Amino acid sequence: MTTTVPAPPPHPLGDRVDKQLALETVHQAQALLGLIRPTPTPAPSLALARTEPPPDVVLNLGLGVDSGAITARYITDPSSRDFDLRNLAVITGMTGQEWPATRRLVEQHLLPLMASARVRYIQVARRGPREADGVDILSDTRTPGRLHSVGAWTLAHEMLDGALVPQTTGDRLCSQHFKAWPLDLVIAELTQGRPYRQVMGYEKGEQRRAERDKKYDTALRTGMYPLREWDGGWDRARARAFLRETFGVEWIKSACTYCPFALATEAGQRQTVARFVDEPDAGVLALAMEFTATALNPTQGLIKGKRLLSLLRASTGTEAVLTAFRQRLAVLPWAVYDVRRTLSPRTDGRIAYARSIRILDIGPHDKVRVRLHQRAFSGGVPVTVGDTTFPDDTHSRAWLRRREPQALIRGTPTAEQFLAFAPATAADKTGPAFPKAWAAASQFQFPV
């Protein structure tokens, strides 16, 4: 059967879809993955109750084993603390996509315990991509009964917008953007300029994290690490045993469903696969996030040197999550992306990267696939499938320029450009360093 290919555009980057329509399509695609875009509104003032004195102690509850054990022991064992529970505030910064099993554990066991002791629990989340968008107080109560795990702006919004996945290298931007900054903002408002102690769930083996956190102490803030101080120090196994004894259930590690740290070891991969087997719908967002990210950058897999999709395909019992993912791909709008990346040598011997992505076409899968071939034909380049560096890469791309490794050896910048075919879940985005780096790379430019 011969496929009729309509006339190509006059050049590979010509005849671009309207920007606003492209953005609306991206928002539609994200909504199909369960991510509703917040309506931009002025940031409200923090609506914290001022009917009681500021707390003396603030406990960061991350919903997992370590901070969960601290919270439970503070409530059930008065000898574990030197303050009254009336002077404690427990606070959680929501990233947005906790495992459903974590939500059930917290709602069925920890929240009722907190409510029975009338412990103040505050849940917060970002309102948008900028700090100027502010923070929402999702709940502030002494009788908590529900976990508000999804706020207006989640980590998944940030990742999908930029065609990215979270990274295990460098700073944990997920913690900085969705926990540290909103929590610091709310705690400052909560404590009203009075001294307070901040309880962090670092266990016995996390000396470096505790030492690093101690550097953030001020005249007002003093870090506390009870797991490292109780009975010679509690490790995670002991914290988990305490939760088992207290609630009669096995507590699981808190993480986003697409957390790369949970996939960094073989044991973590086995546990994550087992979670997806138990809760297949939780895997769709992680797979969709990785799928577009790897189409636009083959190095972006959730597992170093490997894809989560490949792991699930090679694992037993995962047909339900893979089927759910295929069904979601079938209803998502697709796009042809113009991807440009620069590589610039730095004085310290490392490489600085900058990227620009732009949507050229949008529509159903088959229609957009044809458009990719049209644009490749007009540029005189083939459509290739996969990247030889990554054996499990199966994405279609039309390369307009390849990077020049010899240029980097000579200490000069280089660039690459290709057209990618992927679900339309990423928005147009040009990094601030890109225009200057692109010009420095002496890249010929197509009319746009």
Side-chain angles (χ1 to χ4, degrees):
M1 180 176 178
T2 302
T3 301
T4 301
V5 179
H11 46 74
L13 303 185
D15 192 22
R16 181 187 177 193
V17 69
D18 176 74
K19 289 184 179 181
Q20 184 59 35
L21 178 59
L23 183 60
E24 291 172 359
T25 302
V26 169
H27 293 175
Q28 174 194 354
Q30 293 185 4
L32 289 169
L33 293 172
L35 301 177
I36 305 301
R37 305 289 294 200
T39 301
T41 56
S45 59
L46 295 177
L48 288 166
R50 291 293 185 87
T51 57
E52 50 188 302
D56 296 327
V57 180
V58 178
L59 191 162
N60 282 33
L61 176 60
L63 308 179
V65 174
D66 299 330
S67 58
I70 295 172
T71 305
R73 191 180 184 200
Y74 273 168
I75 295 172
T76 60
D77 181 4
S79 69
S80 66
R81 50 183 165 84
D82 60 0
F83 55 88
D84 194 285
L85 291 179
R86 290 174 299 181
N87 299 323
L88 169 68
V90 178
I91 186 168
T92 298
M94 299 299 183
T95 57
Q97 285 79 36
E98 281 284 347
W99 286 90
T102 296
R103 184 176 65 250
R104 291 193 296 270
L105 281 172
V106 174
E107 290 183 342
Q108 293 173 11
H109 301 285
L110 197 54
L111 294 192
L113 181 64
M114 294 167 66
S116 67
R118 296 193 60 80
V119 171
R120 187 178 183 182
Y121 183 38
I122 304 169
Q123 302 176 58
V124 307
R126 294 187 68 131
R127 301 186 74 246
R130 306 169 305 157
E131 291 189 358
D133 295 322
V135 171
D136 277 332
I137 305 299
L138 305 176
S139 177
D140 179 5
T141 178
R142 286 188 178 273
T143 55
R146 177 187 171 195
L147 200 64
H148 301 267
S149 57
V150 181
W153 186 259
T154 70
L155 176 58
H157 283 100
E158 185 169 302
M159 294 293 101
L160 288 178
D161 268 8
L164 302 170
V165 295
Q167 302 292 312
T168 56
T169 56
D171 295 329
R172 293 195 183 195
L173 295 182
C174 53
S175 294
Q176 291 182 15
H177 290 185
F178 291 86
K179 294 184 178 182
W181 175 76
L183 289 181
D184 287 347
L185 185 69
V186 173
I187 290 171
E189 174 70 11
L190 182 67
T191 55
Q192 301 177 41
R194 293 182 50 178
Y196 66 96
R197 291 180 287 171
Q198 186 170 10
V199 179
M200 307 296 290
Y202 299 140
E203 46 100 350
K204 183 178 180 179
E206 295 182 306
Q207 180 177 345
R208 289 186 179 180
R209 295 186 70 187
E211 290 175 347
R212 183 172 56 193
D213 180 79
K214 202 64 180 172
K215 295 178 181 178
Y216 293 104
D217 280 354
T218 66
L220 298 179
R221 187 258 192 196
T222 301
M224 288 178 63
Y225 319 101
L227 290 180
R228 297 181 50 77
E229 300 165 0
W230 287 340
D231 310 321
W234 284 24
D235 58 14
R236 184 155 299 155
R238 186 165 183 182
R240 182 175 280 112
F242 176 79
L243 289 169
R244 187 187 311 118
E245 295 165 3
T246 303
F247 298 119
V249 295
E250 196 67 39
W251 214 268
I252 61 177
K253 180 177 175 59
S254 170
C256 294
T257 56
Y258 44 81
C259 179
F261 293 95
L263 294 163
T265 65
E266 290 187 5
Q269 291 172 22
R270 288 193 298 270
Q271 293 169 1
T272 301
V273 169
R275 283 188 170 192
F276 284 136
V277 170
D278 291 340
E279 301 182 294
D281 290 343
V284 172
L285 180 61
L287 289 170
M289 179 187 296
E290 181 188 65
F291 195 79
T292 298
T294 52
L296 275 58
N297 183 352
T299 68
Q300 283 280 313
L302 280 166
I303 306 173
K304 186 176 182 180
K306 190 177 179 181
R307 311 283 166 81
L308 172 61
L309 180 58
S310 300
L311 173 65
L312 292 177
R313 284 173 172 167
S315 302
T316 58
T318 57
E319 186 53 38
V321 63
L322 292 173
T323 298
F325 176 53
R326 287 193 296 268
Q327 292 173 343
R328 198 62 54 88
L329 284 184
V331 300
L332 286 176
W334 286 63
V336 172
Y337 287 93
D338 169 30
V339 183
R340 293 177 288 171
R341 183 177 293 106
T342 61
L343 300 84
S344 306
R346 302 193 327 189
T347 55
D348 62 1
R350 302 177 68 181
I351 303 297
Y353 296 86
R355 185 176 71 164
S356 170
I357 59 175
R358 304 183 309 157
I359 293 177
L360 302 180
D361 301 292
I362 54 173
H365 176 279
D366 290 347
K367 177 182 176 181
V368 175
R369 179 174 56 82
V370 169
R371 292 294 287 170
L372 173 68
H373 283 266
Q374 292 173 353
R375 292 182 182 278
F377 177 79
S378 67
V381 297
V383 173
T384 59
V385 177
D387 185 310
T388 56
T389 308
F390 299 90
D392 53 357
D393 181 64
T394 58
H395 292 291
S396 297
R397 303 180 184 89
W399 285 88
L400 302 175
R401 176 180 170 88
R402 298 275 188 174
R403 67 180 65 176
E404 302 172 41
Q406 290 301 318
L408 294 176
I409 294 174
R410 294 192 302 268
T412 58
T414 185
E416 61 186 20
Q417 182 178 24
F418 60 89
L419 305 182
F421 172 53
T425 55
D428 286 8
K429 186 174 184 180
T430 297
F434 178 81
K436 183 177 181 180
W438 181 256
S442 300
Q443 164 70 47
F444 68 91
Q445 297 196 34
F446 290 104
V448 294

